[in-house]
Each structure stands twice: as C-alpha cells, then as structure tokens.
Amino acid sequence: MRITLKDCAEIIGRYNSFLILTHASPDGDTLGSAFALKKALEKLGKTSQVVCNDEIPQKYSFLWEGTDNDEIKYEAIIAVDIADRNLLGEKFNGIYGDRVMLAIDHHLSHRDYAENTYVCDKAATAENIYGLINELGIEIDSGIATCIYCGMATDTGCFLFTNTTPDTHRIAAELMEKGADFAIVNKKMFETKTMSYLKLEQMALATVQTYFDGKCAIMHITQDMFRESNSNEGECDGIASLPRKIEGVQIGITVREKPNGAFKVSIRTVEPYDAAKICALFGGGGHNRAAGCEFICSLEDTKKALLKAVEAEII
Ligand SMILES: [Mn+2]
C-alpha cells in the first residue's frame, strides 16, 4: 500500500526496534539514509541495525561514527532506497524480500514489495528521510546531518545533476548549519580515488566506443580488469558517469561484468533521452537521467541489444 510521510511516522511509532535494509552494492544514498534514520530512531529511544547483502566499503565509516551497529532483535523491517526487491541482493531478497514492513524510496519506477511504501520523487532517498525525521519531530544533530548530506550529495553527483532542485540546496544549507561535515563527505565521495580505481578507470576508458554520430558512447569493464587493476565493485560507484562526460554524448552506457558472468548495465542520459525507458525494455528501471538493467548473455550480445534500443530512441 502507498502511504504518506505522516503514515510512515505513525508506523514507526508502533515499534521499538528495526532492521534497516540497504541495497546491494551499497552507495552513499542508501547508507546515508539508513544511518540517518538509525541515529534519529536512537533519539526516540528506539534501537535499530543497518544491514546490507554486500560488504560495506570502509570509506563510508564516517556514517556510523558515534553509533554502534550491533546485532539486535527487531520487530519490524524498513528498506531504504530500494526500488525493487531484487536490488536487495540475492541472499537478502530470499531472507527479507517479502517481510519488509516499510519501504522508503525516491525511485518513481519503484515496484512495490513492502507492506507499506512511501515514494516521493526527490533527488535522493536521504531527502525523504530528512522529511520523515522532521515529521517525527526529531532534532537533526551534526551526525544525522552528515548522513543526510552524504545521501543527497551522492545522488546529485555533488549537486551537479539535473535532479538537483532549489529545495535540495535549501536542505543542504540547513544541514551545513546543523553541522554536517560536508568537506569530509565531499572529499571522500568525490575527490579521493585509490590507485587501483584509477588503473581500472584507465582500462575502462580504453574500451570506449561511440555510435550514432557520437551521440552514444559505450564503455565496458570485465572481471579480468578488476583482477588486473586490483580494484573492486565497492570503489567504482561513479564510474558509470564517465561515458556521458564525453563531449556530444547524450546517452552514455557502462557495461560491467559481475562475478557470476552477468552484465550490469548503467545508462546515463541528457535531456530528452529517458534512461529508465531504455532500461525498462530489459526489465530494469531507475530515473529519467540515470537507470540500470541486467543481461545474462555475452558482452557482444549485450552491446548489440543496447545499441538497437538506443537507435530506436535516437533516430
Ligand atoms: Mn538513491
């Protein structure tokens, strides 16, 4: 059932302990949202634990500073920033997929799996968590502010993408006033790259090919490249934005081989091209300018299918 923010606050009021689920291959929005909520719930005397199907990269450790994340007994399960139960990851989908009591998300492509769902088209789920925390009447302290800021900065590409609104900036400004550690967040999220990541980026860039008069660019990353560069999934959040950075490219595609041999596709577009529409053709989804889908076939066939879909859009 779709519910309002007020209903979310009311539901949270009914329980004392929560398991908070984040999506697989966790990013700054799912984690920032989860830890902001956890810290806020603590202020109400409620306990919670944030969990993820995949290992949480160490670069996010600032999010759980000042709070412990020990295993607890919980009464209800909340999912944040998870548009589809498959995005929980295989193991978590099996365990929790049909037991989620409340899903809080910002993807309009959200496919309902929870008992109660709140989806509002904001730049980040963290922006919806900000709304919820206000609805709950909880004072935002510097720890909560840092977590929300991290989510919003992540999903707006540091306030660069077109999903950034005047409201996004107003909330970010308020978070700064509340003591959000924005310099640390931005340095860790957008400035610092490991040498292994930069090596991977170099290999990935060498695979870029352009199509349709340079309007579409495709780049791929294989498991061999991960091995050779000594990089890993956890440190390449932003890599999918590279093809669209090329001058003239309107549809940028990144094809990433997963350990099981499937190909995870990320599409980034500029107006008027709809990334979610293209990904929906292949069972995926997301936002207008950023979306994803998955293929279980060869790299060559994956690219062929994508180019065919892009061709239909571009011409
Ligand atoms: Mn998000």
Side-chain angles (χ1 to χ4, degrees), residues 201-220:
E201 193 174 292
Q202 191 178 23
M203 290 181 204
L205 283 173
T207 72
V208 170
Q209 281 182 296
T210 60
Y211 302 88
F212 312 122
D213 294 327
K215 284 188 192 145
C216 172
I218 301 190
M219 175 179 92
H220 71 257

Side-chain angles (χ1 to χ4, degrees), residues 111-227:
R111 291 194 189 104
D112 289 23
Y113 54 89
E115 206 173 304
N116 302 284
T117 305
Y118 175 70
V119 178
C120 185
D121 184 21
K122 293 283 166 66
T125 293
E127 205 172 320
N128 284 328
I129 295 291
Y130 166 88
L132 175 61
I133 289 173
N134 282 330
E135 187 68 42
L136 287 163
I138 299 164
E139 179 78 27
I140 293 178
D141 61 20
S142 64
I144 296 173
T146 298
C147 292
I148 299 173
Y149 184 92
C150 173
M152 292 177 63
T154 299
D155 274 21
T156 57
C158 208
F159 307 94
L160 270 176
F161 302 154
T162 50
N163 59 356
T164 310
T165 64
D167 257 346
T168 323
H169 280 293
R170 273 189 280 270
I171 295 169
E174 189 193 325
L175 296 171
M176 286 168 81
E177 282 165 354
K178 307 252 164 164
D181 225 334
F182 64 96
I184 285 189
V185 173
N186 290 331
K187 174 128 180 44
K188 285 195 192 250
M189 295 297 115
F190 305 106
E191 281 283 304
T192 311
K193 311 278 182 219
T194 61
M195 200 58 213
S196 53
Y197 169 79
L198 287 174
K199 268 188 199 149
L200 180 76
E201 193 174 292
Q202 191 178 23
M203 290 181 204
L205 283 173
T207 72
V208 170
Q209 281 182 296
T210 60
Y211 302 88
F212 312 122
D213 294 327
K215 284 188 192 145
C216 172
I218 301 190
M219 175 179 92
H220 71 257
I221 302 160
T222 61
Q223 284 294 311
D224 274 345
M225 292 183 197
F226 277 115
R227 272 187 289 272

Side-chain angles (χ1 to χ4, degrees), residues 29 81 106-107 124-125 155:
D29 188 28
D81 198 39
H106 69 125
H107 299 89
T125 293
D155 274 21

Side-chain angles (χ1 to χ4, degrees), residues 64 91 153 174 242 259:
W64 54 88
K91 189 173 137 218
E174 189 193 325
L242 286 179

Side-chain angles (χ1 to χ4, degrees), residues 10-277:
E10 198 267 314
I11 288 171
I12 284 172
R14 286 185 219 154
Y15 303 91
N16 286 311
S17 53
F18 304 87
L19 189 71
I20 305 175
L21 305 179
T22 55
H23 63 68
S25 306
D27 64 12
D29 188 28
T30 197
L31 293 171
S33 296
F35 282 101
L37 183 58
K38 181 185 195 317
K39 288 174 180 175
L41 291 171
E42 259 165 37
K43 296 203 157 195
L44 294 176
K46 299 176 190 288
T47 56
S48 61
Q49 184 194 358
V50 176
V51 291
C52 185
N53 187 81
D54 300 340
E55 200 185 323
I56 301 176
Q58 206 41 43
K59 71 171 179 183
Y60 293 108
S61 62
F62 65 91
L63 292 172
W64 54 88
E65 252 166 47
T67 174
D68 65 52
N69 196 34
D70 298 337
E71 202 174 319
I72 56 154
K73 282 212 164 67
Y74 56 87
E75 298 166 339
I77 301 176
I78 303 176
V80 288
D81 198 39
I82 304 172
D84 185 306
R85 55 178 287 174
N86 288 320
L87 300 173
L88 280 165
E90 206 177 320
K91 189 173 137 218
F92 268 32
N93 187 5
I95 305 172
Y96 305 114
D98 45 25
R99 292 169 52 203
V100 179
M101 190 261 315
L102 174 63
I104 302 169
D105 191 20
H106 69 125
H107 299 89
L108 287 183
S109 64
H110 187 99
R111 291 194 189 104
D112 289 23
Y113 54 89
E115 206 173 304
N116 302 284
T117 305
Y118 175 70
V119 178
C120 185
D121 184 21
K122 293 283 166 66
T125 293
E127 205 172 320
N128 284 328
I129 295 291
Y130 166 88
L132 175 61
I133 289 173
N134 282 330
E135 187 68 42
L136 287 163
I138 299 164
E139 179 78 27
I140 293 178
D141 61 20
S142 64
I144 296 173
T146 298
C147 292
I148 299 173
Y149 184 92
C150 173
M152 292 177 63
T154 299
D155 274 21
T156 57
C158 208
F159 307 94
L160 270 176
F161 302 154
T162 50
N163 59 356
T164 310
T165 64
D167 257 346
T168 323
H169 280 293
R170 273 189 280 270
I171 295 169
E174 189 193 325
L175 296 171
M176 286 168 81
E177 282 165 354
K178 307 252 164 164
D181 225 334
F182 64 96
I184 285 189
V185 173
N186 290 331
K187 174 128 180 44
K188 285 195 192 250
M189 295 297 115
F190 305 106
E191 281 283 304
T192 311
K193 311 278 182 219
T194 61
M195 200 58 213
S196 53
Y197 169 79
L198 287 174
K199 268 188 199 149
L200 180 76
E201 193 174 292
Q202 191 178 23
M203 290 181 204
L205 283 173
T207 72
V208 170
Q209 281 182 296
T210 60
Y211 302 88
F212 312 122
D213 294 327
K215 284 188 192 145
C216 172
I218 301 190
M219 175 179 92
H220 71 257
I221 302 160
T222 61
Q223 284 294 311
D224 274 345
M225 292 183 197
F226 277 115
R227 272 187 289 272
E228 224 178 292
S229 61
N230 205 19
S231 182
N232 60 69
E233 283 279 336
E235 63 181 16
C236 49
D237 284 348
I239 205 159
S241 63
L242 286 179
R244 191 182 54 184
K245 287 186 180 179
I246 302 162
E247 189 177 24
V249 168
Q250 324 225 324
I251 300 178
I253 303 178
T254 304
V255 181
R256 217 190 296 188
E257 186 185 8
K258 303 208 317 184
N260 66 3
F263 289 98
K264 182 181 162 188
V265 172
S266 305
I267 302 187
R268 302 289 182 266
T269 60
V270 298
E271 254 188 297
Y273 297 106
D274 187 343
K277 187 179 159 200

